[in-house]
Amino acid sequence: MLKKITLVGTAGFIAFLMSGIIFADMSQSSGAYGEGNIGWGRVAEEPAGSTKTENTGLGLNMSIGYKFNPTIAVEAGIYRYPTEDFGNAEGSSNYAGVAAIKGAIPFDNGFEAFAKVGGAIVSHNLKGKNGGNPAGAGNYTGGAILLGAGLGYAFTPNWEGTVQGNVLASADDNIPTMQMLTIGLTYFF
């Protein structure tokens, strides 16, 4: 019995090693890419006197980038965070233009773990509705820092699926912290 377990274990281990060899060249090691993501977004804001109802919803991101080698890339993109409904106020135009550096740790089986850090220009509009006039109402544009992390899996040499999260944080009190958790696809040209 022990001999069969050893034989099956050894065969499984060899198959596991071979799968790493098969997928090792799946993801592109360098080149230009486009990325699209969709998922959950949150804007961390609650105006004084609001009758808060919702500040989460659909988050979207589209980016283009260039991968210099398997571990370093740069990318630029547009991030759209959800519109907020506070009953007597609304937070809208929650957009960010981002430029980031992406560092990755590639694994031999088609997976990679990555992190992003960069700067952003953020747009945010807080306005009254239903007769409301929230404190701090206005259109705001300012700088922020983007931090993100995720996992990718190369299905083919040109296509990669991703799961990632990010947070935008600004020193400007009029621009709330924004977060996103998404799934997406990356295409290498």
Side-chain angles (χ1 to χ4, degrees):
M1 182 66 166
L2 183 60
K3 210 177 213 182
K4 285 183 182 179
I5 293 172
T6 304
L7 183 62
V8 170
T10 303
F13 182 71
I14 291 170
F16 173 76
L17 291 177
M18 293 303 291
S19 71
I21 293 168
I22 291 168
F23 289 108
D25 293 327
M26 287 290 279
S27 66
Q28 291 283 350
S29 59
S30 65
Y33 63 89
E35 176 179 276
N37 299 289
I38 186 169
W40 172 87
R42 177 177 182 268
V43 180
E45 178 176 48
E46 186 173 348
S50 72
T51 55
K52 183 179 175 199
T53 58
E54 192 64 48
N55 66 347
T56 62
L58 183 67
L60 302 168
N61 157 246
M62 295 193 73
S63 299
I64 57 170
Y66 189 82
K67 196 172 187 180
F68 295 102
N69 59 46
T71 59
I72 302 291
V74 293
E75 64 182 45
I78 302 293
Y79 288 61
R80 184 214 173 266
Y81 293 86
T83 296
E84 311 152 87
D85 181 0
F86 299 112
N88 63 347
E90 178 181 85
S92 61
S93 299
N94 296 318
Y95 292 94
V98 174
I101 296 172
K102 181 178 178 181
I105 300 171
F107 301 104
D108 286 339
N109 58 4
F111 283 95
E112 73 174 7
F114 61 86
K116 299 178 185 182
V117 62
I121 300 295
V122 182
S123 169
H124 174 65
N125 179 16
L126 180 62
K127 61 185 177 186
K129 69 176 205 176
N130 302 326
N133 188 17
N139 287 311
Y140 301 101
T141 301
I145 294 173
L146 172 84
L147 300 174
L151 293 172
Y153 178 74
F155 296 106
T156 72
N158 294 87
W159 287 100
E160 182 177 280
T162 60
V163 175
Q164 60 184 300
N166 69 60
V167 62
L168 271 174
S170 175
D172 185 339
D173 291 338
N174 294 312
I175 298 176
T177 298
M178 301 182 195
Q179 301 144 347
M180 201 181 303
L181 183 60
T182 62
I183 59 171
L185 286 174
T186 303
Y187 180 77
F188 286 88
F189 300 101

